[in-house]
């Protein structure tokens, strides 16, 4: 059974940082792109960042460039998201996704999804 499990979410003050992790089990994803999405209450799931299988190419939501960084460790079958200078509007459930079925990584069309980890930015 293939599973993606996110961790690292939590409560943080504005301006703080968090590092999310996503660990895959059941199969290797070292030949597929992976990505992070997020979904705030009452809003649609939105693309955060994506990374190619060899880490040579990354893509970010325009509004998040410069604050977020995505990386992966294929030896550990893991994906990471480093979030800096967090803002109130970054509050959301963050999802890990693997193996896109659409040409654009920004489309939420992936074969595998994690259950999500809550990130809350609050005073």
């Amino acid at each position: 059974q293939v599973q993606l499990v996110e961790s690292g979410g939590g409560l943080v003050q504005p301006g703080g940082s968090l590092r999310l992790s996503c660990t895959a089990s059941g199969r290797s994803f070292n030949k597929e792109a992976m990505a992070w999405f997020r979904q705030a209450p009452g809003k649609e799931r939105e693309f955060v960042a994506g990374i190619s299988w060899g880490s040579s190419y990354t893509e970010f939501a325009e509004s998040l460039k410069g604050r977020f960084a995505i990386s992966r460790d294929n030896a550990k079958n893991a994906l990471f998201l480093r979030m800096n200078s967090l803002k109130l509007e970054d509050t959301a459930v963050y999802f890990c996704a693997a193996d896109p079925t659409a040409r654009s990584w920004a489309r939420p069309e992936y074969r595998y999804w994690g259950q999500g980890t809550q990130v809350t930015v609050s005073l």
Side-chain angles (χ1 to χ4, degrees):
Q1 182 180 359
V2 178
Q3 280 191 314
L4 298 176
V5 179
E6 302 93 339
S7 61
L11 176 64
V12 62
Q13 292 185 340
S17 298
L18 280 176
R19 184 178 187 244
L20 305 184
S21 299
C22 170
T23 302
S25 62
R27 58 158 288 182
S28 171
F29 290 103
N30 62 4
K31 294 302 182 185
E32 287 91 11
M34 299 183 75
W36 289 97
F37 285 76
R38 68 184 184 183
Q39 189 166 18
K43 295 187 177 181
E44 292 187 352
R45 191 167 297 190
E46 65 172 352
F47 174 74
V48 173
I51 187 167
S52 61
W53 65 270
S55 301
S56 60
Y57 182 75
T58 58
E59 186 176 324
F60 294 88
E62 192 65 32
S63 62
L64 301 177
K65 285 182 179 178
R67 292 197 298 123
F68 287 19
I70 188 171
S71 61
R72 65 191 294 169
D73 184 339
N74 286 340
K76 297 181 178 179
N77 223 12
L79 177 71
F80 307 99
L81 183 69
R82 177 69 179 181
M83 306 184 293
N84 297 321
S85 302
L86 284 163
K87 304 177 181 180
L88 297 175
E89 54 264 39
D90 293 321
T91 295
V93 177
Y94 284 71
F95 298 89
C96 167
D99 196 7
T101 59
R103 183 179 296 273
S104 170
W105 290 351
R107 295 179 64 87
E109 297 173 11
Y110 288 71
R111 287 191 173 87
Y112 303 99
W113 290 89
Q115 292 300 306
T117 184
Q118 175 71 47
V119 171
T120 302
V121 184
S122 180
L123 294 169

